């Protein structure tokens, strides 16, 4: 009997792991083909991609037909790509930026190197490449995250850039059918206490300052993506580089920044205030090999008027609470003493 229970538990664990394996959108890639000026495929050509800010090097070899594929690359850039083959002039592509979840495609034509003993390097333009999409998708890179306006400092301010988006709904699908991941880990609002897709009831679980890129995929033909019928929203966090960089920021907002008048109609405007302090620091631990990045953020946002409630104790019939003030005071005291937390 114990053996059957153990076998059933193992099968269940494997099934759950297979489901959790979906929607792992955490990296980018480079694909393409290499041929000679005479039209011959260059199987065996070497391709090396260098992530310039960190010095990370990725390499591969062209296969039969001259095609090559590099996966698992860090999103962003710039990248420097070097392609070479014996007896051919090497080509170097610079200032290549990779988008999260998509592959950058290069079609390379190598020319015969007629010069002996000296190396000839031809610097190509990134216009020779194109982004190879895996379906209908929108990618918001770090440059857009830093330059576009945001009110809530949430990734949902940027997912609305998707043409098929209406708020948190994509392609007419209810927002609860979306799937949100950060670095491949699910971060959905499964408890559903608010209409926000992220957990935290309006408070962001991860600072926007720590996000590198965000991608929105509606109908990808990528077997790695699943568990959604609306949109797959994937974000990756930032990483350190060979250069020490840091930020310090403060945001403040109150009710005076909120409009309350439309033509001759004036709406009620309760007093609200929000203050955010934060900072980040990243850099190398071992140059070209090991890096660090840390971010900390504190938000002081009092609850809006009308959402607090003081119980008085009732009959407990139907939806009437029978919890008394004394009961909650005991819970409050226990949480403060045991966990040093103010509920």
């Amino acid at each position: 009997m114990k053996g059957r229970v153990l076998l059933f538990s193992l099968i269940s664990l494997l099934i759950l792991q297979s489901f959790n394996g979906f929607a792992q959108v955490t990296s980018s890639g480079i694909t393409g083909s290499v041929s000679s000026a005479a039209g011959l495929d260059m199987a065996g050509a070497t391709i090396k991609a260098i992530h310039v800010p960190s010095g990370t090097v990725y390499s591969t070899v062209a296969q039969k037909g001259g095609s090559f594929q590099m996966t698992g690359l860090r999103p962003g850039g710039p990248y420097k790509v070097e392609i070479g083959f014996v007896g051919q002039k090497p080509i170097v592509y610079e200032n290549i930026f990779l988008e999260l979840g998509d592959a950058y495609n290069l079609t390379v034509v190598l020319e015969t190197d007629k010069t002996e003993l000296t190396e000839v390097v031809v610097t190509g333009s990134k216009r020779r490449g194109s982004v190879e999409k895996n379906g209908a998708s929108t990618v918001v890179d770090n440059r857009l995250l830093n330059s576009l306006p945001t009110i809530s400092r949430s990734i949902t301010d940027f997912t609305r850039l998707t043409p098929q988006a209406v708020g948190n709904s994509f392609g007419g699908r209810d927002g609860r059918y979306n799937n949100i991941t950060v670095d491949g880990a699910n971060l959905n609002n499964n408890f559903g206490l608010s209409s926000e897709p992220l957990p935290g009831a309006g408070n962001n679980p991860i600072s926007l300052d720590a996000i590198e890129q965000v991608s929105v995929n509606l109908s990808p033909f990528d077997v790695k993506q699943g568990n959604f019928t609306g949109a797959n929203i994937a974000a990756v966090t930032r990483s350190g580089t060979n250069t020490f960089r840091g930020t310090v920021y403060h945001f403040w907002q109150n009710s005076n920044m909120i409009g309350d008048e439309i033509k001759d109609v004036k709406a009620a405007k309760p007093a609200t205030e929000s203050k955010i302090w934060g900072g980040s620091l990243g850099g190398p631990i071992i140059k070209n090999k090991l890096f660090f990045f840390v971010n900390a953020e504190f938000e002081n946002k009092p609850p809006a008027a009308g959402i607090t409630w003081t119980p008085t104790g009732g009959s407990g019939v139907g939806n009437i609470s029978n919890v008394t003030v004394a009961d909650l005071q005991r819970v409050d005291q226990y949480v403060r003493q045991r966990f040093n937390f103010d509920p």
Side-chain angles (χ1 to χ4, degrees), residues 42-97:
M42 294 282 100
T46 59
I47 299 95
K48 182 169 67 173
I50 304 171
H51 184 256
V52 177
S54 65
T56 307
V57 178
Y58 307 87
S59 60
T60 189
V61 177
Q63 305 299 313
K64 184 178 179 181
S67 63
F68 65 89
Q69 184 177 18
M70 306 176 71
T71 60
L73 278 66
R74 291 176 54 170
Y79 275 86
K80 178 181 179 182
V81 179
E82 301 175 355
I83 302 174
F85 190 80
V86 177
Q88 306 292 319
K89 295 180 181 179
I91 291 183
V92 179
Y93 295 91
E94 296 183 321
N95 295 322
I96 292 178
F97 290 84

Side-chain angles (χ1 to χ4, degrees), residues 9 15 21 42 107-108 147 157 177 188 194 202 216 218 298 327 331:
S9 301
I15 293 174
M42 294 282 100
T107 301
V108 183
S147 59
D157 285 342
Y177 290 97
N188 297 305
S194 71
V216 181
L218 273 74
F298 174 77
D327 291 335
V331 174

Side-chain angles (χ1 to χ4, degrees), residues 44-279:
T46 59
I47 299 95
K48 182 169 67 173
I50 304 171
H51 184 256
V52 177
S54 65
T56 307
V57 178
Y58 307 87
S59 60
T60 189
V61 177
Q63 305 299 313
K64 184 178 179 181
S67 63
F68 65 89
Q69 184 177 18
M70 306 176 71
T71 60
L73 278 66
R74 291 176 54 170
Y79 275 86
K80 178 181 179 182
V81 179
E82 301 175 355
I83 302 174
F85 190 80
V86 177
Q88 306 292 319
K89 295 180 181 179
I91 291 183
V92 179
Y93 295 91
E94 296 183 321
N95 295 322
I96 292 178
F97 290 84
L98 304 184
E99 296 183 352
L100 176 62
D102 292 326
Y104 193 92
N105 186 273
L106 286 172
T107 301
V108 183
V109 178
L110 298 178
E111 297 181 358
T112 303
D113 190 356
K114 299 179 181 179
T115 305
E116 296 182 359
L117 301 179
T118 59
E119 180 183 9
V120 177
V121 178
V122 179
T123 301
S125 169
K126 67 175 183 177
R127 296 174 185 172
R128 295 284 301 276
S130 61
V131 177
E132 191 174 278
K133 293 286 187 179
N134 287 320
S137 65
T138 301
V139 178
V140 183
D141 59 20
N142 190 256
R143 180 184 64 85
L144 294 176
L145 290 174
N146 291 330
S147 59
L148 293 177
T150 173
I151 297 177
S152 62
R153 283 185 54 78
S154 170
I155 62 175
T156 57
D157 285 342
F158 301 94
T159 58
R160 294 183 175 93
L161 295 174
T162 303
Q164 299 86 354
V166 179
N168 295 319
S169 171
F170 296 86
R173 195 64 169 156
D174 191 293
R176 290 172 293 183
Y177 290 97
N178 300 330
N179 185 58
I180 302 178
T181 62
V182 176
D183 289 338
N186 285 329
L187 198 65
N188 297 305
N189 183 15
N190 293 324
F191 207 57
L193 289 180
S194 71
S195 59
E196 291 290 327
L198 292 169
N203 298 314
N204 298 302
I206 296 180
S207 169
L208 190 64
D209 204 57
I211 300 296
E212 175 69 25
Q213 284 194 21
V214 180
S215 73
V216 181
N217 291 273
L218 273 74
S219 54
F221 41 91
D222 184 354
V223 296
K224 300 191 300 295
Q225 301 188 43
N227 288 343
F228 68 94
T229 56
N232 184 51
I233 302 172
V236 291
T237 54
R238 299 175 63 181
S239 177
T241 65
N242 283 327
T243 304
F244 284 99
R245 296 182 184 275
T247 61
V248 177
Y249 54 88
H250 171 60
F251 298 95
W252 173 78
Q253 184 183 36
N254 67 1
S255 53
N256 293 328
M257 299 180 181
I258 302 174
D260 60 353
E261 190 172 333
I262 302 176
K263 291 186 177 180
D264 299 330
V265 179
K266 193 167 185 178
K269 186 169 65 174
T272 60
E273 187 178 38
S274 173
K275 297 179 181 179
I276 298 176
W277 297 269

